[in-house]
Amino acid sequence: MTLDEIRDLYAYSAWANARTFAAVAALPAGVAEAPVVSSFPSIRATLGHLVAAEWVWLRRWVGENPSAMPAWARESNVAGLRLELTAVELERLAYLSRLTATDLTRILSYRSLAGEPYADPLAGLLRHVVNHSSYHRGQVTTLLRQAGHPAPDTDLVIFLRLRNIQGSV
């Protein structure tokens, strides 16, 4: 995987996150917090996990080892989570802009939230985060549809088509 491909994946992920958050922000009051049967107890909690996981991985990439998800992941409303995600995306964009091809092959040592040690190539971890967020955006899409609300199309191919038509998205 090249640096351009990594940066392209993160441009896609930011676009898809924005579409997902816009759909959730448009929900009637209480829907995002309503109990659901899924991996997390609500749409808001699912988004909280998505944003917190992106934050945790970025922290690891810059040499930190968080021992817990941040409190804001549980406590923030959807608008607050969107603000946290924007901060993560901006910091990550700067981080990605500094990466070199050699960095992609670097083995990153880190600890899980449970304190277990791991070491993986950075390129794989970068791909993992995009994949992880895609998975949880898919859950939000399903939950929106089950609740009778419109869900955004966040497929990569839609991003690519729009970018080809518009030049950027």
Side-chain angles (χ1 to χ4, degrees):
M1 178 147 271
T2 68
L3 284 170
D4 286 342
E5 290 168 327
I6 292 286
R7 291 175 183 138
D8 200 38
L9 278 176
Y10 277 94
Y12 154 70
S13 195
W15 169 86
N17 283 340
R19 290 177 73 111
T20 300
F21 267 87
V24 173
L27 292 172
V31 174
E33 294 80 18
V36 297
V37 178
S38 189
S39 299
F40 299 95
S42 67
I43 291 171
R44 195 225 55 82
T46 305
L47 291 175
H49 173 77
L50 182 156
V51 178
E54 292 201 12
W55 177 86
V56 165
W57 282 107
L58 180 59
R59 302 283 35 99
R60 289 173 178 156
W61 300 339
V62 299
E64 300 170 16
N65 274 298
S67 59
M69 291 290 201
W72 52 255
R74 292 179 310 280
E75 299 164 1
S76 296
N77 61 19
V78 172
L81 291 172
R82 184 62 180 116
L83 289 173
E84 295 293 346
L85 179 60
T86 298
V88 168
E89 288 174 342
L90 288 171
E91 184 181 356
R92 186 175 52 221
L93 190 61
Y95 174 81
L96 293 174
S97 74
R98 295 187 303 269
L99 283 182
T100 66
T102 303
D103 290 327
L104 295 179
T105 61
R106 177 171 50 94
I107 302 299
L108 181 73
S109 296
Y110 60 96
R111 293 195 173 277
S112 70
L113 296 180
E116 299 169 35
Y118 291 96
D120 297 296
L122 180 60
L125 298 174
L126 290 166
R127 284 192 300 264
H128 164 71
V129 173
V130 173
N131 185 67
H132 178 267
S133 292
S134 292
Y135 175 79
H136 290 299
R137 283 191 304 266
Q139 288 182 313
V140 171
T141 293
T142 297
L143 295 170
L144 288 170
R145 289 179 179 150
Q146 287 175 349
H149 298 281
D153 191 343
T154 59
D155 283 342
L156 175 62
V157 72
I158 302 301
F159 170 79
L160 295 172
R161 288 175 186 159
L162 287 172
R163 190 177 60 186
N164 288 338
I165 293 168
Q166 300 170 358
S168 69
V169 286

